[in-house]
Amino acid sequence: MALKVARRAGISPFIVMDVMRAANRRDEAAANASERAVHLEVGQPGTPAPIPVRDAAKAALDSDKLGYTDAMGVPALRARIARHYADTYGVALDPARICVTTGSSGGFLLAFLAAFDAGDRVALADPGYPAYRNILKALDCEPVGLAATAATRFQPTPDLLAQSGKNLAGLIVASPANPTGSMLSPDELGALCRWCSASGVRLVSDEIYHGIVFEGRAATALSFGDDAFVVNSFSKYYSMTGWRLGWLVVPPDLVRAVERLAQNLFISPPTLAQLAAIAAFDAHAECEAHVATYRANRDYLLAALPKAGFRDFAPPDGAFYLYADVAHMTNDSAEFCRRMLGEAGVAATPGLDFDPARGNRFVRFSFAGTLADMEEAARRLIAWRR
């Protein structure tokens, strides 16, 4: 007799990770550098953690036993994160509301479990980060896709929310967004916060790309009240993806609930990463130099990719992505990306990862690597599309 397999085991793949695996296999089989893939698929900085972080990690290895910490995180790190909000946004924040998490992924899981029950309907913009949708489905919640377009800069609006039907329990927003790089202005984010408050809808604000901003100013949902969850991470701006550390700012009424969940699901975040991350906030100049590289990469690709036929992009206000409309080239972005990797040696992510309904005609490029990577990718793509 066959043994039971849970329905949630049928969760959709995170396609970008499948693309990365295929690109890595190409690299392993490559006879020389020219046969290796150019990696524009994964949103991972091409730089290591800041020097003060690495120095702090070395010191912690020599001086700390690296045991469990408080489930909500090391007090010194929580206090430093709170100070970051005061310094950056002018928001006074009680460190007791900060939960240090195992990457932003741990933050989303804790927020969704604390705020939503099975069957709850949670709205999010399509295109959007696929893990939102997939985690919600694994928790038996219903993702409600908002068909955002260029007219709304691929961001949700109160009008789109009004069209989504009644009985929404939550809304997820991201600014800067993955995969588009587009941003909500402070006024637009404020309008969404007010709509959620008036409608009894819990807002989850993904702010993990704050700091990587090229146009305008990134606003935090904390500027508009205490009801929202705010998710952030050390992965992107601070180049600490593999350290698996993020944080969650928790609404006051759910602090103890999140703490109980964190105790049982994670015990505590990685201790070494926490002790090292305190120093990340002292590496502003180093991190801003990385942002300057991303800006140069963005500008280079915006000028070069049209020569390969990629002409129509979502507004790349921040983060490190270009979301390209390739409808004039293909109606199957997954096959298009397989061919791009196999024939041109350039790894990119099909839009189907981010928008199940319309992503067949979009491709996402990540420009988080070096300028040399961007130049080589453009050279290969131009030759491929001739």
Side-chain angles (χ1 to χ4, degrees), residues 174-262:
S175 176
N178 177 9
T180 62
S182 71
M183 289 173 55
L184 292 160
S185 71
D187 287 346
E188 290 167 336
L189 179 58
L192 288 171
C193 290
R194 290 188 294 273
W195 186 93
C196 287
S197 181
S199 304
V201 171
R202 184 72 74 174
L203 178 67
V204 180
S205 181
D206 179 350
E207 301 179 4
I208 72 170
Y209 293 99
H210 276 213
I212 307 175
V213 173
F214 314 117
E215 312 294 339
R217 178 174 65 88
T220 177
L222 297 173
S223 295
F224 304 100
D226 294 332
D227 294 336
F229 281 98
V230 168
V231 182
N232 210 319
S233 172
F234 289 95
S235 291
K236 309 300 184 179
Y237 180 71
Y238 299 104
S239 299
M240 294 175 63
T241 52
W243 299 68
R244 305 312 304 131
L245 202 69
W247 71 86
L248 179 67
V249 182
V250 183
D253 59 326
L254 288 174
V255 168
R256 180 55 178 160
V258 166
E259 182 177 31
R260 292 194 301 263
L261 287 164

Side-chain angles (χ1 to χ4, degrees), residues 76-162:
L77 178 56
R78 297 166 74 193
R80 187 62 187 86
I81 293 169
R83 185 177 134 202
H84 166 72
Y85 281 94
D87 294 344
T88 305
Y89 307 101
V91 172
L93 184 61
D94 184 351
R97 291 178 55 197
I98 296 169
C99 178
V100 183
T101 60
T102 305
S104 62
S105 301
F108 288 118
L109 182 60
L110 290 171
F112 295 169
L113 283 168
F116 308 131
D117 287 316
D120 279 352
R121 303 175 74 244
V122 181
L124 61 158
D126 285 335
Y129 180 54
Y132 305 148
R133 187 184 316 110
N134 295 337
I135 294 172
L136 288 168
K137 287 181 178 178
L139 299 178
D140 288 325
C141 296
E142 179 186 349
V144 179
L146 306 174
T149 66
T152 67
R153 302 176 65 80
F154 296 97
Q155 290 284 357
T157 66
D159 286 344
L160 284 173
L161 286 162

Side-chain angles (χ1 to χ4, degrees), residues 28 38 65 69 102 110 131 145 150 161 163-164 213 230 243 263 295 312 328 336:
E28 291 166 4
V38 181
K65 66 179 182 180
T69 72
T102 305
L110 290 171
L161 286 162
Q163 297 167 20
S164 67
V213 173
V230 168
W243 299 68
Q263 289 169 341
R295 181 189 291 273
D312 189 6
H328 58 294
F336 186 79

